[in-house]
Amino acid sequence: MSQGKNDIAALLVALMVTVGLIGGGLWFFGRQFLNGNGSGDSPIATSPDAPDPASPNPASPPPAAGGATNLDTSVPDPAVLTIDGSVTMVSLMKRLQLAYAQTNPGLPTTYGVPDGRPNGTNAGIQNLANGTVVLAASSRPLNAAEAQSGLVGVPIARDALAVVVGRDNPYTGGLTLDQLKRIYQGQITNWSEVGGPNAPIKVINRANDSGTQSFFKDVVLLGGDFAPEGPNFTTLPRDETTPMLRALGNNGIGYSTVQQVVNQQTVRIVPIDGVQPTDIAAVKNGTYPISRIVFLVARRQTSPAVKQFIDMALSSSGQQIVQQSGFIPLQ
């Protein structure tokens, strides 16, 4: 009888263990199903503050847009590396051409079509898009339509715009960014309105093909329109700095890249919001409000020679040329 009781007790224990295992299994697979893990793999444990393991690492920086690594170099090298674009970047481009020639003496380069005179950023990018040249220098970012057409802009340097008046202009103060905007939109027309003498302000605007003008319009005018042409508002027919400086006289105002005016004896640079464009730290950290990045632009499908020119500009020796040309290296 005692043996029979022991057998029954053992049977009951075994039955309870079996039921427990079945119940646990059902609970486990039910959890897996509810968690969407029908494969049977163990779920990955995460704390409430941990990132979703399927999402990108939140600490990773976003990929750089428009880098030279994005270029497809399946196009044969041209007989001549033709370049057009920014007048602002003339000195920089000439130095880069010389450096490129030292390592590629068999591939000549040109800057400016058809006569070696660059046509400005906007025309240069158009000449690249229609195949007249294989590379463009740009003093502004690409717009959406240009990027969608298969062009790639690669940053190569930092730059700042300087607002200038003639050396003999009796106005010696600074301007706020808003005052500058209102001057170029025709809302402030007399120097007395900004603390100067009672004299009309003669406004000199860069040519419509100028990337510097496009950048100025975006940053200073916030995309608004310039004042209409008139006796005291002139848009230059060609993107050239020297005629603009000569036109300032004793009551004019104009703007240019800082490296083209910093050593000019005939003009004075006007501080904007109390900051000078010659303050490199202020340009880098954005304290000076009219600063920018300049670019080399290529078609996404291009030649090894074009990519080599861009890579050279980004190299340590190329960034030294950037600095020697009056621009600010990227790093």
Side-chain angles (χ1 to χ4, degrees):
M1 185 69 178
S2 175
Q3 180 64 39
K5 288 182 178 180
N6 290 340
D7 291 342
I8 292 171
L11 181 61
L12 289 174
V13 170
L15 181 61
M16 290 174 64
V17 170
T18 301
V19 170
L21 289 172
I22 293 172
L26 291 173
W27 176 86
F28 175 80
F29 285 110
R31 291 285 295 176
Q32 295 293 83
F33 178 78
L34 291 173
N35 288 338
N37 188 6
S39 66
D41 294 337
S42 299
I44 300 173
T46 58
S47 70
D49 296 329
D52 180 352
S55 65
N57 181 356
S60 299
T69 55
N70 293 335
L71 298 177
D72 170 6
T73 56
S74 60
V75 175
D77 285 341
V80 178
L81 193 72
T82 51
I83 314 171
D84 194 16
S86 172
V87 173
T88 294
M89 298 168 65
V90 168
S91 64
L92 172 58
M93 293 305 297
K94 294 294 184 184
R95 289 174 187 243
L96 290 175
Q97 284 180 270
L98 289 173
Y100 187 79
Q102 292 178 2
T103 55
N104 297 272
L107 182 57
T109 64
T110 62
Y111 189 53
V113 292
D115 56 359
R117 298 176 68 187
N119 293 285
T121 290
N122 298 341
I125 291 175
Q126 182 58 46
N127 284 334
L128 172 65
N130 64 28
T132 303
V133 298
V134 298
L135 189 63
S138 176
S139 56
R140 62 165 176 83
L142 294 177
N143 60 40
E146 291 163 347
Q148 290 169 4
S149 73
L151 302 184
V152 176
V154 181
I156 63 166
R158 296 181 186 274
D159 184 30
L161 298 193
V163 177
V164 292
V165 297
R167 178 187 57 195
D168 298 327
N169 191 320
Y171 182 73
T172 58
L175 294 170
T176 66
L177 193 63
D178 181 66
Q179 287 173 329
L180 183 62
K181 173 179 179 287
R182 292 167 64 197
I183 287 172
Y184 270 84
Q185 291 194 310
Q187 298 166 7
I188 293 177
T189 59
N190 194 290
W191 286 110
S192 63
E193 298 176 70
V194 290
N198 182 16
I201 301 175
K202 181 172 67 175
V203 181
I204 312 297
N205 197 18
R206 297 191 77 97
N208 292 327
D209 277 339
S210 167
T212 299
Q213 191 220 73
S214 299
F215 177 79
F216 187 92
K217 183 176 182 179
D218 288 343
V219 173
V220 179
L221 275 59
L222 303 178
D225 293 329
F226 289 105
E229 295 290 308
N232 288 315
F233 192 102
T234 301
T235 299
L236 298 173
R238 189 174 176 89
D239 191 23
E240 297 175 326
T241 298
T242 300
M244 183 272 290
L245 299 180
R246 290 174 178 166
L248 291 174
N250 61 6
N251 66 340
I253 189 169
Y255 60 92
S256 180
T257 181
V258 66
Q259 55 92 10
Q260 289 182 328
V261 299
V262 68
N263 293 318
Q264 296 283 346
Q265 301 300 311
T266 60
V267 301
R268 289 198 316 272
I269 295 176
V270 178
I272 304 298
D273 289 342
V275 185
Q276 288 279 4
T278 50
D279 184 339
I280 293 177
V283 172
K284 285 186 172 182
N285 65 27
T287 304
Y288 182 73
I290 324 177
S291 55
R292 61 181 172 181
I293 289 180
V294 297
F295 302 80
L296 288 176
V297 183
R299 287 188 290 275
R300 187 173 299 280
Q301 191 173 26
T302 189
S303 68
V306 168
K307 184 178 185 299
Q308 187 180 22
F309 190 99
I310 296 172
D311 287 341
M312 180 206 65
L314 294 172
S315 69
S316 58
S317 60
Q319 290 295 290
Q320 287 178 2
I321 293 173
V322 163
Q323 188 167 24
Q324 292 163 1
S325 302
F327 290 82
I328 301 172
L330 291 177
Q331 299 298 332

